[in-house]
């Protein structure tokens, strides 16, 4: 849901008018249900199938988990890839380099987003749960029902660990 808000806000001011129209032609609630939900479910279901088929090679990690426990999640990821960190300094420096402030600083220095768009930034607060109060409860309930239809635990994906 945070990703939905981020994409919606980004597209709402996009320099490409066709991309901008994707967001500005509908409310954020409709954007969630019509654009984000179908693509997310398709991608999630695909990755879930891969994770079930190749459990030693694919792991699904919710954004909320990364935000809530970046060090724990990063260490888990390194272990999962068979590359345990050699020392704590590596973990500390790595996590410092990807703090939102550092990424924003990099975008300012280069004059373009991490995606390469001149004069734009894709980095916001990096906090989880920013969708609360932005997306209507009725849209959330509709999304929850659609996730359940695909046997995806919606609440697990929005829980702040």
């Amino acid at each position: 849901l945070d990703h939905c808000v981020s994409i919606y806000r980004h597209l709402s001011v996009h320099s490409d008018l066709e991309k901008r129209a994707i967001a500005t032609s509908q409310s954020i609630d409709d954007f969630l249900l019509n654009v984000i939900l179908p693509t997310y479910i398709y991608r999630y279901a695909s990755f879930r199938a891969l994770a079930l088929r190749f459990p030693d090679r694919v792991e699904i990690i919710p954004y909320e988990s990364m935000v809530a426990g970046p060090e724990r999640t990063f260490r888990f990821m390194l272990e999962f890839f068979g590359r345990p960190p050699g020392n704590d300094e590596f973990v500390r420096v790595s996590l410092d380099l990807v703090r939102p402030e550092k990424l924003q600083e990099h975008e300012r220095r280069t004059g373009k987003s991490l995606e390469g768009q001149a004069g734009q930034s894709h980095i916001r607060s990096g906090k989880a749960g920013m969708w609360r109060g932005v997306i209507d409860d009725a849209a959330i309930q509709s999304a929850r029902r659609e996730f359940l239809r695909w046997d995806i635990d919606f609440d697990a994906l929005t829980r702040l660990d």
Side-chain angles (χ1 to χ4, degrees):
L1 294 175
D2 285 313
H3 194 65
C4 172
V5 172
S6 178
I7 292 171
Y8 186 82
R9 289 179 175 161
H10 172 70
L11 289 176
S12 294
V13 297
H14 204 284
S15 57
D16 181 325
L17 296 180
E18 286 183 27
K19 289 182 180 177
R20 185 183 300 178
I22 294 169
T24 58
S25 66
Q26 56 192 321
S27 71
I28 192 165
D29 299 329
D30 290 337
F31 181 75
L32 167 65
L33 300 174
N34 299 328
V35 177
I36 297 298
L37 202 61
T39 56
Y40 186 88
I41 288 173
Y42 172 77
R43 288 182 179 147
Y44 185 87
S46 299
F47 279 109
R48 183 177 57 186
L50 284 172
L52 291 171
R53 186 167 181 196
F54 304 107
D56 296 341
R57 298 173 68 188
V58 179
E59 181 72 30
I60 297 172
I61 301 172
Y63 170 75
E64 292 78 6
S65 296
M66 291 189 296
V67 172
E71 182 175 340
R72 178 183 67 240
T73 305
F74 185 55
R75 287 180 182 279
F76 170 81
M77 290 167 61
L78 290 171
E79 293 282 344
F80 184 81
F81 292 127
R83 303 284 190 194
N87 59 59
D88 290 340
E89 181 68 6
F90 170 78
V91 173
R92 188 193 64 71
V93 168
S94 298
L95 292 174
D96 182 61
L97 289 172
V98 296
R99 285 185 305 116
E101 305 82 40
K102 291 278 190 167
L103 296 173
Q104 288 169 332
E105 178 185 315
H106 174 76
E107 288 181 328
R108 278 192 298 278
R109 196 172 52 252
T110 62
K112 57 186 173 182
S113 72
L114 295 176
E115 228 178 43
Q117 294 174 315
Q120 293 198 20
S121 175
H122 292 269
I123 306 302
R124 303 290 184 260
S125 70
K127 295 178 182 171
M130 301 301 287
W131 57 271
R132 289 179 171 85
V134 177
I135 300 173
D136 186 71
D137 287 342
I140 299 297
Q141 294 309 318
S142 292
R144 179 178 278 112
R145 283 191 298 275
E146 188 63 14
F147 270 65
L148 288 174
R149 199 167 76 79
W150 289 90
D151 196 30
I152 300 171
D153 186 352
F154 179 86
D155 295 318
L157 297 174
T158 59
R159 183 174 25 255
L160 302 176
D161 292 8

